[in-house]
């Protein structure tokens, strides 16, 4: 009987899970109840989660660029950021 491989999560689902885990980790750290060792371990874990999120966002941007201009994805212009009104 062939073994069923579990499908890899979609990049979007992986991003959402990583972002959620990062937010929960930040909340725990902000409570201030962690020892120094726990804080350092949490920080290391947070850096890893941040890098996973950043990689997923970069991949998504590349996919958008390829869809926008498949002939020249590197020449695609980034989307303008919404202007933030002065308070």
């Amino acid at each position: 009987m062939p073994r069923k491989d579990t499908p890899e999560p979609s990049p979007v689902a992986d991003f959402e899970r990583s972002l959620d885990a990062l937010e929960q980790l930040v909340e725990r750290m902000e409570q201030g109840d962690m020892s120094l060792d726990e804080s350092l371990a949490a920080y290391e874990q947070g850096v890893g989660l941040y890098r996973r999120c950043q990689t997923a966002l970069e991949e998504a941007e590349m996919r958008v660029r390829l869809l926008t201009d498949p002939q020249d994805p590197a020449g695609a212009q980034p989307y303008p950021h919404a202007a933030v009104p002065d308070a």
Side-chain angles (χ1 to χ4, degrees), residues 30-48:
E30 285 178 340
Q31 291 174 359
D33 297 334
M34 301 171 108
S35 69
L36 180 58
D37 283 337
E38 291 170 329
S39 294
L40 287 172
Y43 181 80
E44 288 179 31
Q45 182 183 2
V47 168

Side-chain angles (χ1 to χ4, degrees), residues 83-87:
V84 179
D86 291 334

Side-chain angles (χ1 to χ4, degrees), residues 5 9 14 16-17 19 23 31 34 36 39 41 43 45 48 52-54 62-63 69 73 77 83 87:
D5 291 330
D14 187 46
E16 294 291 336
R17 273 194 301 278
L19 185 59
E23 289 172 346
Q31 291 174 359
M34 301 171 108
L36 180 58
S39 294
Y43 181 80
Q45 182 183 2
R52 286 178 72 175
C53 289
Q54 188 64 34
M62 181 53 70
R63 287 178 64 191
D69 189 358
Q77 296 296 315

Side-chain angles (χ1 to χ4, degrees), residues 58-76:
E58 288 169 0
E59 289 175 9
E61 181 181 8
M62 181 53 70
R63 287 178 64 191
V64 168
R65 285 180 181 220
L66 285 170
L67 291 169
T68 302
D69 189 358
Q71 301 301 317
D72 185 23

